[in-house]
């Protein structure tokens, strides 16, 4: 158990819909990272928050947004969903503000868009 | 943008054989991390390398960071069935660049 909690574990939704994925980082970790994992693209970095502020942005679509709340949990919002958004979405947390310490990954949310 | 290439994409070995995966970056890296993801699981941190030419060992696993800090390798000696999984390298350029770019991974399968 990494200490990072992601909910829900599985999500099936229709195209055009909007979903919210939730992540609770390890106790004491201030950074939260979101990744998308698909078979053909591997692990794609989406976005990072550190102590409530956006720190780095990767290949995140405009239809996607995220935020980190004062209690440090984070949510990833995916809207106008397309079939191609079907993937495994991982949240990871670390104590530092940058990628120079170990990141702990949650179990992931498997999103299926039908 | 920064690219991290990893080869091979797949590797199948007999138990007891050695295994190596290679990681190459298009830019000089500040640090490189290695993760292992078991089938159906999530990535788990293995190690981080930060110094040019650094070599670190964890039991049967040997990690190297190239002199130019643009490539890295993971070598497993005498593979076991418990080594099955996908091995990812992930690099960062450092400074104000906080992105960690992952390679596509090498899927290792081990025949008992």
């Amino acid at each position: 158990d990494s200490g990072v909690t992601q909910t829900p574990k599985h999500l099936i939704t229709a195209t055009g819909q909007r979903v919210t994925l939730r992540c609770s980082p390890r106790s004491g970790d201030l950074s939260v990272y979101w990744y998308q994992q698909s078979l053909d693209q591997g692990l794609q970095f989406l976005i990072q928050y550190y102590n409530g502020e956006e720190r780095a942005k990767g290949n995140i679509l405009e239809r996607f947004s995220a935020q980190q709340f004062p209690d440090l949990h984070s949510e990833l919002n995916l809207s106008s969903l397309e079939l191609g958004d079907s993937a495994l979405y991982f949240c990871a947390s670390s104590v530092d503000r940058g990628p120079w310490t170990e990141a702990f990954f949650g179990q992931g949310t498997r999103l299926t868009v039908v | 943008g920064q690219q991290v290439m990893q080869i091979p994409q797949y590797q199948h070995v007999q138990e007891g054989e050695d295994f190596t995966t290679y990681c190459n970056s298009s830019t000089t890296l500040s640090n490189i991390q290695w993760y292992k993801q078991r089938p159906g699981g999530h990535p788990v941190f293995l190690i981080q390398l930060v110094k040019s030419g650094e070599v670190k060992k964890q039991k049967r696993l040997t990690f190297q960071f190239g002199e130019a800090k643009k490539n890295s390798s993971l070598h497993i000696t005498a593979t076991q069935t418990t080594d099955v999984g996908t091995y990812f390298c992930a690099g960062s350029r450092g400074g104000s660049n906080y992105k960690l770019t992952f390679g596509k991974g090498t899927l290792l399968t081990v025949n008992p």
Side-chain angles (χ1 to χ4, degrees):
Chain A
D1 181 14
S2 66
V4 178
T5 304
Q6 285 188 251
T7 56
K9 285 190 170 47
H10 301 277
L11 200 47
I12 301 176
T13 190
T15 54
Q17 294 298 304
R18 172 189 168 94
V19 297
T20 297
L21 312 184
R22 184 188 166 98
C23 170
S24 293
R26 278 192 335 152
S27 176
D29 285 356
L30 298 179
S31 274
V32 170
Y33 303 81
W34 286 98
Y35 291 90
Q36 180 192 57
Q37 185 174 44
S38 57
L39 283 174
D40 56 341
Q41 291 296 320
L43 266 168
Q44 294 286 312
F45 168 69
L46 296 178
I47 198 163
Q48 180 211 353
Y49 280 82
Y50 176 77
N51 204 20
E53 293 188 3
E54 183 184 304
R55 179 63 63 172
K57 223 169 188 176
N59 303 321
I60 188 165
L61 300 171
E62 284 191 12
R63 300 183 285 108
F64 296 180
S65 65
Q67 54 185 328
Q68 187 178 28
F69 295 87
D71 67 351
L72 300 177
H73 91 270
S74 178
E75 293 181 354
L76 179 66
N77 300 297
L78 315 176
S79 62
S80 303
L81 285 167
E82 302 174 359
L83 296 177
D85 297 327
S86 295
L88 197 48
Y89 290 84
F90 284 109
C91 163
S93 74
S94 70
V95 63
D96 260 323
R97 69 181 187 280
W100 44 78
T101 53
E102 176 177 358
F104 295 85
F105 281 75
Q107 299 288 333
T109 294
R110 181 167 296 281
L111 173 67
T112 304
V113 183
V114 297
Chain B
Q2 180 184 350
Q3 288 191 330
V4 174
M5 310 298 291
Q6 201 173 342
I7 56 169
Q9 195 173 354
Y10 307 97
Q11 183 79 60
H12 178 74
V13 300
Q14 289 292 125
E15 190 171 22
E17 292 181 339
D18 291 357
F19 159 77
T20 305
T21 173
Y22 300 91
C23 187
N24 290 289
S25 170
S26 57
T27 59
T28 301
L29 299 172
S30 168
N31 62 314
I32 194 158
Q33 298 177 350
W34 285 91
Y35 290 81
K36 176 184 178 182
Q37 184 176 17
R38 286 202 162 97
H42 59 279
V44 175
F45 177 85
L46 294 176
I47 209 159
Q48 173 167 274
L49 305 169
V50 296
K51 296 177 185 174
S52 169
E54 189 170 15
V55 178
K56 285 188 176 180
K57 293 191 176 185
Q58 287 179 351
K59 297 182 181 177
R60 295 178 294 104
L61 278 61
T62 302
F63 303 85
Q64 294 190 41
F65 201 7
E67 294 290 339
K69 300 183 74 173
K70 295 179 77 171
N71 57 74
S72 181
S73 65
L74 158 60
H75 179 82
I76 302 178
T77 304
T79 54
Q80 299 175 358
T81 54
T82 53
D83 295 325
V84 164
T86 300
Y87 293 85
F88 293 96
C89 63
S92 167
R93 284 196 288 182
S96 59
N97 189 318
Y98 290 155
K99 295 180 191 177
L100 190 64
T101 302
F102 278 77
K104 290 197 174 183
T106 297
L107 173 59
L108 171 66
T109 54
V110 180
N111 203 29

